């Protein structure tokens, strides 16, 4: 088992899939000659050439649409949008075409597009480069939305996404590309559906995804040491479809739930998870579930304000103590 | 072109006209719902261009005024009508409707409702063709209104930059929904708008199918041989409203009448009659045969076909087993 960084894991998945299937190609801004803003396509241009590692003009909507069109004819495009914020420009092609074509055509046309989106609050990038957009994508029938929290899953989810016949949105995190972790030496496919218990526990469940998994794990560690509380951490990983069964199973065991999200609360992952708890296992709950989430502001530039705008492990510990009455 | 083919073409245009008129009736009878955008007046465009392409081999995509492009691509008119009736036997199994006709078996890759949305899709088909190395071309039919979308400029740039084999056909019917072209667009000659992208372009009459075919042949051959985009602007006019709910208040009766005198069916029929290819009586018989086909075969098929089952509502959201199919 090799230790890879998140970006190296993504690069390895690209490389393996491109080597295997000549119809897999990558496109996006600066992904070729420059190797990608987060290095995730480094060296691929030299290896596979400009037809398969395409530097695009800054035209998000149309290059996404070109990916959709190529996917409709059987190609497997991996489209990178440099920052998730720019995906707003690609909404028409993504929402109206990629997500709907299979359904609108009565199942006759498939759109196996992969869209990679570096997102989240990184380092003082300001309001227009620090968005979380999972709430937007997970509300659309026809899309799959996954979000890796580790190099293993960054690798395994991209591998699975390329092979999948549906359009898959992968939300990565700009602050995690240098995160290191173990990745299996053999090919590994992380399922596009289902959640994973990344730390078992019995006293409460911390639901998290992407970067918030790390806050939840840090909080669980402290809760164990400082309070003797055994918190279970569930990496939701697939946001569309959400793992109803796994979400309910954990709470049937712990009877308490906190959803930790980097995103603002409104219409978001936490709202959805809590609705699932209401629907699936309301009477298993010993306390009302809560959300730990970003403040409802455009992400500010100032470092202190930026830090204050998103949650951290301290916030998770505080919420857990309150929930447990300690 | 010999007399048999000339008569066939005339019949195809006449069929297109009668098919659409019958759709309007069915809409009024509420057998067809939603929005319905009809093609009368523009028949020579789709039929003339595709006559010179290879339907079923080349990939075709268009906007929401899509019935005739589909039929000329080889989609069964019964399946098109059944789709309009929302039936399971429709070419999109009743999930698409008038604006979303699909038939990948005939390489008809769809009608789309968002104006300008198909531009990048057409370029994507070109990209896929380029990667696979075939001799197909991608053909994108859109109206003049679509050229004011960002996707027009973005796609022209990339199609030219990457040598994508796409024929862009602009059916310039002078109105974007209900706004006259000169009130919405600075350069009203659409073919001139691709010059900065170094795309070969031409403009011609879209009402005379012989003229359309002549230009289409040049355009199709160019794209097929040079593997480069081409932009063909056809000057045309829709004789009906934008959709069935169009008041028509934005254009004068005189203008519509003037264009009605340049009806593509009228022009072609007059030419064939003058050349002795067919008589007025032959034309009347042809018209009757077309209407009989629609009334006796197409409409009953659409009427008698079953509706999709409600239990199948969520089918096709995802590809069944599409996450794991590769493992098998």
């Amino acid at each position: 088992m090799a230790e890879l960084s998140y970006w190296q894991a993504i690069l390895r998945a690209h490389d393996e899939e491109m080597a295997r299937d000549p119809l897999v190609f990558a496109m996006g801004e600066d992904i070729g000659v420059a190797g990608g803003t987060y290095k995730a396509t480094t060296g691929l241009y030299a290896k596979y050439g400009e037809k398969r590692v395409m530097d695009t003009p800054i035209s998000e909507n149309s290059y996404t649409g070109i990916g959709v069109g190529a996917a409709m004819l059987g190609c497997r495009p991996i489209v990178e949008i440099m920052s998730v914020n720019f995906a707003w420009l690609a909404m028409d092609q993504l929402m109206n075409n990629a997500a709907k074509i299979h359904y609108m055509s009565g199942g006759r046309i498939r759109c196996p597009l992969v869209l990679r989106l570096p997102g989240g609050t990184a380092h003082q990038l300001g309001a227009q480069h620090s968005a979380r957009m999972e709430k937007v994508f997970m509300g659309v029938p026809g899309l799959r939305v996954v979000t890796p929290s580790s190099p293993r899953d960054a690798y395994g989810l991209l591998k699975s996404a390329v092979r999948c016949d549906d359009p898959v949105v992968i939300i990565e995190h700009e602050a995690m590309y240098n995160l290191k972790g173990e990745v299996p030496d053999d090919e590994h496919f992380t399922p596009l559906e289902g959640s994973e218990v990344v730390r078992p526990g019995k006293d409460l469940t911390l639901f998290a995804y992407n970067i918030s998994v790390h806050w939840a794990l840090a909080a669980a560690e402290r809760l164990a040491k400082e309070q003797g509380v055994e918190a279970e951490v569930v990496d939701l990983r697939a946001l569309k479809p959400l793992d109803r069964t796994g979400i309910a199973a954990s709470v049937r065991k712990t009877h308490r739930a906190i959803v930790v999200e980097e995103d603002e609360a409104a219409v978001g992952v936490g709202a959805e998870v809590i609705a699932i708890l209401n629907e699936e296992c309301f009477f298993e709950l010993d306390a009302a579930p809560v959300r730990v989430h970003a403040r409802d502001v455009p992400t500010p530039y100032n470092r202190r304000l930026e830090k204050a705008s998103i949650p951290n492990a301290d916030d998770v510990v505080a919420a857990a103590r309150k929930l447990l009455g300690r | 072109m010999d007399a048999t083919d000339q008569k066939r073409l005339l019949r195809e245009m006449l069929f297109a006209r009668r098919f659409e008129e019958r759709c309007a009736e069915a809409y009024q009878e509420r057998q067809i719902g939603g929005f319905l955008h009809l093609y009368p007046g523009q028949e020579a465009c789709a039929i003339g261009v595709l006559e010179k392409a290879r339907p079923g081999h080349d990939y075709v995509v268009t906007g929401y005024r899509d019935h005739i492009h589909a039929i000329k691509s080889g989609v069964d008119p019964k399946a098109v009508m059944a789709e309009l009736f929302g039936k399971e036997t429709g070419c999109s199994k009743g999930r698409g409707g008038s604006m979303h006709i699909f038939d990948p078996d005939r390489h008809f890759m769809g009608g789309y409702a968002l104006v300008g949305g198909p531009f990048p899709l057409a370029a994507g088909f070109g990209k896929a063709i380029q990667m696979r190395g075939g001799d197909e071309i991608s053909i994108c039919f859109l109206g003049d209104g679509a050229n004011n979308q960002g996707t027009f400029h973005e796609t022209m740039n990339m199609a030219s930059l990457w040598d994508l084999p796409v024929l862009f056909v602009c059916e310039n019917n002078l109105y974007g929904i209900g706004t006259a072209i000169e009130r919405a667009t600075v350069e009203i000659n659409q073919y001139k708008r691709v010059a900065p992208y170094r795309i070969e372009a031409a403009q011609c009459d879209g009402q005379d199918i012989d003229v359309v075919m002549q230009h289409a042949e040049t355009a199709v051959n160019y794209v097929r041989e040079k593997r480069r985009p081409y932009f063909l602007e056809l000057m045309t006019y829709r004789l009906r409203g934008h959709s069935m709910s169009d008041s028509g208040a934005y254009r004068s009766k005189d203008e519509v009448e003037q264009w009605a005198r340049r009806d593509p069916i009228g022009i072609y029929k007059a030419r064939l009659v003058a050349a002795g290819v067919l008589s007025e009586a032959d034309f009347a018989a042809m018209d009757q045969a077309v209407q009989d086909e629609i009334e006796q075969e197409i409409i009953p098929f659409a009427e008698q076909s079953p509706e999709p089952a409600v239990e199948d509502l969520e089918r096709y959201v995802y590809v069944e087993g599409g996450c794991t199919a590769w493992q098998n």
Side-chain angles (χ1 to χ4, degrees):
Chain A
M1 187 114 47
E3 187 170 77
L4 295 182
S5 60
Y6 198 80
W7 71 264
Q8 286 170 324
I10 296 166
L11 175 62
R12 182 180 148 195
H14 272 95
D15 194 10
E16 287 177 5
E17 291 305 298
M18 291 183 73
R20 177 187 60 87
D21 180 351
L23 292 179
V24 176
F25 71 94
M27 65 194 300
E29 293 150 9
D30 281 5
I31 69 154
V33 173
T37 307
Y38 301 100
K39 301 194 280 189
T41 48
T42 306
L44 297 179
Y45 183 86
K47 188 167 177 182
Y48 296 102
E50 62 176 12
K51 291 273 195 286
R52 293 185 66 199
V53 184
M54 302 173 77
D55 282 314
T56 64
I58 302 168
S59 306
E60 287 83 2
N61 194 31
S62 293
Y63 71 67
T64 301
I66 288 174
V68 174
M72 290 167 68
L73 261 61
C75 289
R76 300 271 164 169
I78 306 171
V79 177
E80 175 185 306
I81 292 187
M82 187 183 267
S83 163
V84 70
N85 303 261
F86 312 159
W88 286 114
L89 289 161
M91 260 337 140
D92 175 42
Q93 292 300 323
L94 188 62
M95 302 300 196
N96 280 314
N97 289 342
K100 295 177 184 172
I101 279 168
H102 185 255
Y103 193 87
M104 291 198 299
S105 67
R108 301 186 71 192
I109 297 178
R110 297 173 176 188
C111 182
L113 174 82
V114 179
L115 196 66
R116 290 185 41 245
L117 304 171
T121 297
H123 306 289
Q124 288 190 273
L125 301 181
Q128 295 185 343
H129 274 78
S130 308
R132 285 81 40 168
M133 284 172 63
E134 46 272 25
K135 63 172 67 165
V136 178
F137 304 117
M138 65 189 277
V140 180
L143 293 181
R144 292 182 178 277
V145 183
V146 293
T147 176
S149 64
S150 66
R152 183 202 63 175
D153 286 347
Y155 165 78
L157 286 172
L158 180 52
K159 295 273 292 183
S160 296
V162 170
R163 309 279 181 107
C164 178
D165 292 329
D166 301 314
V168 181
V169 175
I170 304 179
I171 299 174
E172 298 166 4
H173 201 290
E174 291 171 13
M176 286 168 61
Y177 284 99
N178 290 319
L179 176 80
K180 287 196 181 324
E182 299 277 292
V183 178
D185 294 331
D186 291 338
E187 274 196 312
H188 168 75
F189 297 87
T190 306
L192 298 175
E193 294 185 7
S195 57
E196 184 180 350
V197 177
V198 290
R199 178 182 173 121
K202 60 176 178 51
D203 297 327
L204 83 162
T205 303
L206 303 175
F207 291 107
Y209 62 94
N210 194 261
I211 199 166
S212 71
V213 170
H214 301 279
W215 306 336
L217 285 170
E221 188 65 28
R222 279 180 48 194
L223 286 166
K225 278 196 184 139
E226 298 166 13
Q227 308 286 326
V229 167
E230 289 181 39
E232 175 149 301
V233 179
V234 174
D235 183 351
L236 293 166
R237 200 164 58 203
L239 300 183
K240 175 82 175 176
L242 272 167
D243 181 14
R244 300 181 74 90
T245 312
I247 289 167
S250 180
V251 170
R252 285 201 181 94
K253 188 166 68 165
T254 64
H255 309 290
R256 289 180 174 82
I258 297 175
V259 188
V260 189
E261 53 189 329
E262 191 196 12
D263 207 348
E264 301 91 17
V267 212
V269 175
E272 205 51 47
V273 168
I274 292 170
I276 288 171
L277 294 178
N278 284 342
E279 290 157 6
E280 298 286 337
C281 56
F282 180 78
F283 293 104
E284 295 280 351
L285 288 165
D286 285 348
V290 296
R291 294 176 287 184
V292 174
H293 55 83
R295 300 280 289 275
D296 205 16
V297 293
T299 308
Y301 163 70
N302 175 275
R303 185 70 183 143
R304 289 175 64 187
L305 295 181
E306 183 190 60
K307 282 182 79 170
S309 75
I310 55 169
N312 57 32
D314 292 345
D315 297 324
V316 181
V317 170
R321 291 182 62 176
K322 192 174 169 195
L323 190 71
L324 293 161
R326 300 188 184 215
Chain B
M1 187 172 269
D2 67 20
T4 311
D5 280 332
Q6 287 175 319
K7 280 191 275 193
R8 173 181 56 79
L9 272 183
L10 181 63
R11 190 188 194 281
E12 285 179 14
M13 288 201 287
L14 191 56
F15 180 89
R17 178 68 52 89
R18 296 302 189 199
F19 184 93
E20 296 287 75
E21 288 171 344
R22 188 61 183 81
C23 288
E25 279 176 43
Y27 188 84
Q28 273 145 3
E29 291 159 16
R30 301 198 172 194
Q31 288 174 299
I32 297 174
F35 285 125
L36 184 67
H37 308 82
L38 301 174
Y39 204 55
Q42 301 183 207
E43 292 90 345
C45 298
I47 293 171
V49 170
L50 291 177
E51 179 67 20
K52 291 298 172 187
R54 288 157 66 185
H57 181 70
D58 296 329
Y59 291 88
V60 176
V61 67
T62 187
Y64 40 75
R65 203 179 303 283
D66 58 349
H67 312 163
I68 303 309
H69 303 78
I71 290 169
K72 180 63 179 172
S73 293
V75 184
D76 183 348
K78 292 204 289 289
V80 175
M81 190 64 85
E83 185 59 34
L84 305 184
F85 278 53
K87 299 300 182 73
E88 183 71 19
T89 54
C91 52
S92 311
K93 300 201 173 79
R95 271 74 166 178
S98 167
M99 299 188 279
H100 307 300
I101 302 293
F102 289 92
D103 190 347
D105 295 343
R106 295 299 307 168
H107 291 190
F108 185 75
M109 303 310 286
Y112 296 85
L114 276 284
V115 174
F119 280 128
L121 299 183
F125 304 154
K127 171 67 186 169
I129 292 164
Q130 190 185 61
M131 288 196 67
R132 299 189 312 206
D135 75 336
E136 307 98 318
I137 67 171
S138 169
I139 306 176
C140 177
F141 290 90
L142 287 174
D144 47 293
N147 300 346
N148 288 333
Q149 289 281 18
T151 48
F152 168 80
H153 297 277
E154 293 178 358
T155 302
M156 293 305 151
N157 183 47
M158 286 185 274
S160 183
L161 191 68
W162 295 332
D163 295 325
L164 301 179
V166 187
L167 170 55
F168 297 101
V169 180
C170 174
E171 299 184 39
N172 183 349
N173 66 16
L174 307 178
Y175 290 85
I177 315 178
T179 299
I181 186 165
E182 65 275 9
R183 295 183 58 236
T185 308
V186 175
E187 175 54 74
I188 60 169
N189 292 292
Q190 301 302 305
Y191 76 104
K192 290 185 180 174
R193 300 178 74 188
V194 299
Y197 304 109
R198 298 186 194 155
I199 292 176
E200 284 290 312
Q203 181 189 49
C204 74
D205 181 9
Q207 302 306 90
D208 183 334
I209 196 166
D210 283 328
V211 175
V212 172
M213 287 192 293
Q214 185 200 330
H215 285 80
E217 189 163 24
T218 305
V220 166
N221 290 344
Y222 177 94
V223 177
R224 202 178 307 284
E225 284 156 24
K226 296 216 184 317
R227 313 312 290 173
R228 286 272 305 155
Y230 191 100
F231 186 93
L232 178 60
E233 179 183 8
L234 306 173
M235 302 307 295
T236 187
Y237 199 79
R238 57 172 160 68
L239 295 171
R240 304 182 65 102
H242 166 74
S243 72
M244 290 296 288
S245 51
D246 185 337
S247 69
Y250 52 87
R251 53 187 197 179
S252 70
K253 228 175 145 184
D254 273 3
E255 181 185 298
V256 179
E257 275 170 18
Q258 230 171 10
W259 276 93
R261 285 196 283 277
R262 298 217 65 245
D263 182 324
I265 298 170
I267 291 172
Y268 200 51
K269 177 197 131 190
R271 183 170 304 144
L272 298 195
V273 169
V277 172
L278 88 171
S279 66
E280 290 287 350
D282 293 337
F283 181 76
M286 180 187 280
D287 193 11
Q288 192 56 52
V290 162
Q291 292 185 59
D292 288 350
E293 183 187 338
I294 293 169
E295 275 329 308
Q296 290 161 22
E297 293 173 34
I298 294 172
I299 293 290
F301 176 80
E303 282 175 340
Q304 290 156 23
S305 287
E307 298 209 31
V310 174
E311 302 83 78
D312 285 341
L313 174 65
E314 292 179 9
R315 215 176 154 190
Y316 310 129
V317 174
Y318 293 135
V319 176
E320 267 167 58
C323 263
T324 49
W326 59 271
Q327 292 168 345
N328 303 322

